[in-house]
Every structure is written in structure tokens, then in C-alpha cells.
Amino acid sequence: MGEREWYFFSLRDRKYPTELRTNRTTGAGYWKATGKDREVYSSCSGGGRSSTGGDALLGMKKTLVFYKGRAPREKTKWVMHEYRLDGDKSF
């Protein structure tokens, strides 16, 4: 603990123009997805509920780990959480 947390927003960069895969490479390495995507729900009381009575789905969360160099390389301690809005809420 005690380390800084940074938040930023960016447009998705596609690995290939005709594919849906996201480009997560940098000049120093790459971000690799770990685990499965997690659902993110609203926690607002009133107004934020779905028609079924549960919390409303806002989007998905993906956990990524940074690796130095080209694959397969050294795993670092850097972790990033990627959030994306649910399809009907995105623009």
C-alpha cells in the first residue's frame, strides 16, 4: 500500500483494423489480460435498479499485468484495471 493510483481514459486501439482484438503494446513491453472479465454493477439506492429488482449492470472490468520486452518476458508488479461500459451505455 502507500503507492500512488493513477486514473486515465483513452480510446481503444485495435491490433488490426478488421479485428476486435485490442492493441496493448508499448515501446517497453505489453499489457496481458489475466483471469476473466468481471461484471460491474451500480450500487446506488433507488433509480439504479434494473427491472428485475437487482443492481443495474454498468459494464465490465478486466485485470491486466505488464510484461517487459516482447513475449514471453519478465512479469512486473504493475497491474492495471481496464473498465468498459456496457454496450447500451457506451458511445
Side-chain angles (χ1 to χ4, degrees):
M1 293 295 213
E3 294 191 28
R4 292 183 180 189
E5 291 185 9
W6 295 2
Y7 299 89
F8 60 92
F9 299 89
S10 65
L11 296 175
R12 290 179 98 176
D13 182 25
R14 304 230 183 255
K15 190 166 187 167
Y16 303 105
T18 58
E19 288 190 15
L20 297 177
R21 292 192 322 183
T22 304
N23 182 15
R24 296 190 180 100
T25 59
T26 70
Y30 61 97
W31 291 96
K32 181 178 179 184
T34 61
K36 62 180 183 174
D37 292 4
R38 303 283 180 184
E39 295 177 337
V40 177
Y41 292 93
S42 70
S43 60
C44 299
S45 57
R49 302 285 180 179
S50 68
S51 58
T52 59
D55 290 335
L57 177 66
L58 295 177
M60 302 296 286
K61 173 184 172 181
K62 181 184 295 282
T63 302
L64 303 133
V65 176
F66 189 74
Y67 286 79
K68 288 183 182 177
R70 295 178 57 107
R73 286 291 182 177
E74 178 184 346
K75 182 178 179 180
T76 68
K77 293 182 180 181
W78 284 81
V79 176
M80 175 170 55
H81 300 287
E82 176 184 273
Y83 293 89
R84 65 181 184 277
L85 295 174
D86 187 34
D88 61 343
K89 294 175 183 63
S90 61
F91 34 166

